[in-house]
Amino acid sequence: MLEIATVLLLVAMVLTTLIGVADRFLMGLGMPWPEELARFLLIWTSLLAAAVAAKHRQHFQLAFLYGRLGRLWATAVDLACIAALGVVIWQGIRLAQIFHFQTSPALGLPMSVIYASAPVSALLIAGYIARDVLARWRRGSGGSA
Amino acid sequence: MIVIFALFLALMALGFPVAFAMLVAALFHIVTTTGVDLIIVPQQLQDGLNSFPLLAVPFFILTGSLMAEAGVIHRVASLAQALIGHIRGGLAHTVVLAGTLMAGVSGSGTADAAALGSTMIPALDRAGYDRRFAVALTACAGALGPVIPPSIVLIIYGAMGNVSIGRLFLAGIIPGLLMAVVLMVVSHVLVVRTNFGAPLPRASPRERCRALVHSALDLVLPLGIVGGIRWGVFTPTEAGAIATAYVLLIGTLVYRTLGIEQIMKACHETVIVLGSVMLLIATASLIHYILALYQAADRVAALVTEFSSSSLVFLLLANLLVLILGCVMEVTAVLVLLTPILVPILPQFGIDPVHFGIVLCVNLTIGLITPPVGLAMFVTCSIGQISVEAFTRTVWPFLLALGGLLVVLILVPDLSLWLPHVLMN
């Protein structure tokens, strides 16, 4: 689901940019919205992709440490990450609320639509980390996860 | 300012993923010292991504993945073999030439190394080359990717440091070709010394023409990208979108090597790479927002000028720092961390940011093939089934030669700046 949504946004990003090029060469309207839409799509795509990467545990980590951490230690690191993401969720919601009535210059979209990306992504990433923590404890003994 | 860096490094050593180490260090600093409203955290994360030049990153990652799935490497490798396979150690030189051509169509060194490794390591194996040599060589040839345009590293550098990506692309061409020459010289010496690598039969002019025609549509792409940006037909971002569409078209309609399955796989890989790269860019912008509150760039400049005001000393110190960080940290992480600090102070030392970008890029490329965290190294080692230790014992002549070239590139800025100067002024 999440992957499909992210890929669709990625495709939309390519198409929007191509529309911008086509406009300049074929129609010459100088429409401002493709450029703005492409940037907004980039924010959403990037942050959702970050959640996909978290799902597959693909965020860069010092390789020689990975897998050598004890179970308690790994859990502590994960919980600290979740706490930090909690701040992003909480403040992200605040940000989206404050800017709800401000609209973007070209598209007239409420800025809350764009600012919602950070809390949504942080929530998903926190969810995936929590999944890893639970899986680690359910598996019982064994240091690495 | 020192505190935030120390905390970041400590968190990384404690096992935090790099992006989260940045996030937690920044949060800690805001809460304990800066006292600004925490609302800037999500705001800066998104602001860092809200950039039209950065859009080129997903496009070129996607283009590279699609290229890999479409089997471009097979066409490019047969062309390289038809052209230079008949000289001594021909297959080894073929790998370097194929790496150079691949670098021209894709933007990522790791992806190039993976594509090269999976096709060329077995081929080198069959031709009687030592396995360790084969793995080391393909890793190095793949690492040409970030220097020869299009390059994701140069796009991120240009977008974060406000440097013309078009100029950076042009500037990367000569240093990238020099790297290829250096790799060929080293592999020639190794081939002669160890006495493997018999030359392959010479291809007839007809076979050469056929190979050239067969891969012509692939080779048009880098020329189109660089030319189109140079003559202002499109921006690097638009070039990326066009390249994606172009690869999809030739892959599905002309060569017919791209099916739904391959496209989905390429998209999946792109999303994962994109997620980790973009999260780093986002969290780095947060760090840089805080550093800017302390005028970090000015302080670093003052610190260095106190020591020496020579541009050469600055370049050498900066490269030493990049080399050390590149050995323990991911290439992208070093890039997003250092670019916004170092680029603003370049004018004080009279260094052209384009020159610095190329030097930084070559330096980081060396990090791709250096233990303990070189990604291109891991990819090729796992394809070739050799240990990192064996890799390290074989790769050092290549590393030494590339290091020497790096010093030359630092000392002679014209090697990078001549081409953009001639073509863009």
Side-chain angles (χ1 to χ4, degrees), chain A residues 3-4 6-7 10-11 13-14 17-18 20-21 24-25 34-35 38-40 42-43 45-54 56 58-65 69 73 76-78 80-81 83-85 87-88 90-92 94-95 98-99 114-119 121 125 129, chain B residues 9 12-20 23-24 27 37-43 45-47 49-52 54-55 58-59 62 232-235 237-238 240-242 244-245 264 267-268 270-280 282 327-330 332-333 372-373 375 378:
Chain A
E3 268 108 330
I4 293 171
T6 316
V7 168
L10 186 66
V11 173
M13 216 153 71
V14 176
T17 308
L18 288 177
V21 180
R24 204 172 60 236
F25 283 103
E35 194 261 352
R39 276 188 289 118
F40 291 165
L42 176 67
I43 299 177
T45 313
S46 302
L47 290 171
L48 286 187
V52 178
H56 297 279
Q58 288 290 323
H59 284 292
F60 299 128
Q61 210 164 3
L62 289 192
F64 50 91
L65 281 171
L69 304 174
W73 193 244
V77 168
D78 282 346
C81 288
L85 289 165
V87 176
V88 177
W90 164 42
Q91 294 297 329
R94 250 187 83 205
L95 184 71
I98 292 174
F99 284 95
I114 294 105
Y115 283 137
S117 57
S121 159
I125 297 176
I129 297 179
Chain B
L9 291 173
M12 232 172 37
L14 289 176
F16 279 80
V18 182
F20 291 98
L23 178 65
V24 174
L27 279 177
D37 193 333
L38 276 171
I39 204 159
I40 63 125
V41 174
Q43 199 167 17
L45 289 178
Q46 286 158 332
D47 261 18
L49 299 172
N50 192 357
S51 139
F52 195 68
L54 270 185
L55 265 168
F59 295 160
L62 182 57
V233 184
F234 35 62
T235 63
T237 300
E238 292 166 346
I242 294 170
T244 306
M264 285 316 292
C267 286
H268 181 75
T270 304
V271 166
I272 288 184
V273 174
L274 184 66
S276 48
V277 169
M278 296 311 264
L279 190 65
L280 278 176
C327 281
V328 293
M329 238 197 279
E330 193 33 58
T332 325
V373 294
L375 273 187
F378 280 122

Side-chain angles (χ1 to χ4, degrees), chain B residues 52-106:
Chain B
F52 195 68
L54 270 185
L55 265 168
V57 174
F59 295 160
F60 280 113
I61 297 178
L62 182 57
T63 308
S65 309
L66 285 170
M67 282 268 179
E69 291 299 319
V72 175
I73 180 69
H74 298 294
R75 299 195 286 272
V76 163
S78 29
L79 173 66
Q81 192 175 326
L83 290 178
I84 54 167
H86 59 277
I87 57 178
R88 178 120 200 232
L91 200 57
H93 297 311
T94 301
V95 172
V96 178
L97 185 57
T100 313
L101 297 173
M102 274 301 279
V105 295
S106 109

Side-chain angles (χ1 to χ4, degrees), chain B residues 11-329:
Chain B
L11 288 170
M12 232 172 37
L14 289 176
F16 279 80
V18 182
F20 291 98
M22 289 198 225
L23 178 65
V24 174
L27 279 177
F28 181 81
H29 197 266
I30 291 171
V31 171
T32 56
T33 334
T34 324
V36 290
D37 193 333
L38 276 171
I39 204 159
I40 63 125
V41 174
Q43 199 167 17
Q44 284 304 316
L45 289 178
Q46 286 158 332
D47 261 18
L49 299 172
N50 192 357
S51 139
F52 195 68
L54 270 185
L55 265 168
V57 174
F59 295 160
F60 280 113
I61 297 178
L62 182 57
T63 308
S65 309
L66 285 170
M67 282 268 179
E69 291 299 319
V72 175
I73 180 69
H74 298 294
R75 299 195 286 272
V76 163
S78 29
L79 173 66
Q81 192 175 326
L83 290 178
I84 54 167
H86 59 277
I87 57 178
R88 178 120 200 232
L91 200 57
H93 297 311
T94 301
V95 172
V96 178
L97 185 57
T100 313
L101 297 173
M102 274 301 279
V105 295
S106 109
S108 138
T110 315
D112 289 355
L116 275 175
S118 53
T119 46
M120 298 313 285
I121 292 175
L124 286 164
D125 230 13
R126 278 194 301 276
Y129 286 83
D130 180 66
R131 174 71 71 87
R132 286 162 304 178
F133 170 79
V135 173
L137 181 67
T138 41
C140 295
L144 291 169
V147 185
I148 297 177
S151 151
I152 291 163
V153 170
L154 290 178
I155 293 168
I156 296 178
Y157 175 82
M160 293 190 87
N162 266 323
V163 184
S164 152
I165 295 173
R167 273 176 179 276
L168 287 167
F169 276 10
L170 284 173
I173 295 175
I174 292 178
L177 294 179
L178 285 176
M179 282 173 78
V181 171
V182 162
L183 292 181
M184 283 188 179
V185 170
V186 174
S187 60
H188 179 78
V189 171
L190 290 179
V191 162
V192 170
R193 284 191 121 194
T194 44
N195 218 7
F196 48 65
L200 304 165
R202 181 187 284 270
S204 69
R206 235 187 106 171
E207 285 170 315
R208 285 185 185 173
C209 279
R210 194 181 305 144
L212 195 60
V213 168
H214 201 57
S215 54
L217 284 174
D218 302 319
L219 300 180
V220 163
L221 187 65
L223 297 176
I225 291 171
V226 173
I229 296 172
R230 152 64 184 87
W231 279 281
V233 184
F234 35 62
T235 63
T237 300
E238 292 166 346
I242 294 170
T244 306
Y246 178 81
V247 172
L248 265 180
L249 281 180
I250 64 168
T252 49
L253 300 177
V254 183
Y255 293 118
R256 295 175 187 270
T257 43
L258 271 184
I260 291 293
E261 194 190 327
Q262 283 83 17
I263 295 175
M264 285 316 292
K265 198 167 159 238
C267 286
H268 181 75
E269 278 165 18
T270 304
V271 166
I272 288 184
V273 174
L274 184 66
S276 48
V277 169
M278 296 311 264
L279 190 65
L280 278 176
I281 295 178
T283 47
S285 345
L286 180 61
I287 292 266
H288 289 300
Y289 172 83
I290 296 169
L291 291 179
L293 295 178
Y294 292 88
Q295 280 111 24
D298 292 346
R299 287 195 190 190
V300 172
L303 202 70
V304 182
T305 24
E306 208 168 284
F307 187 64
S308 159
S309 60
S310 125
S311 65
L312 190 63
V313 172
F314 174 79
L315 275 174
L316 290 174
L317 281 178
N319 274 283
L320 200 63
L321 178 69
V322 173
L323 210 57
I324 294 169
L325 285 179
C327 281
V328 293
M329 238 197 279

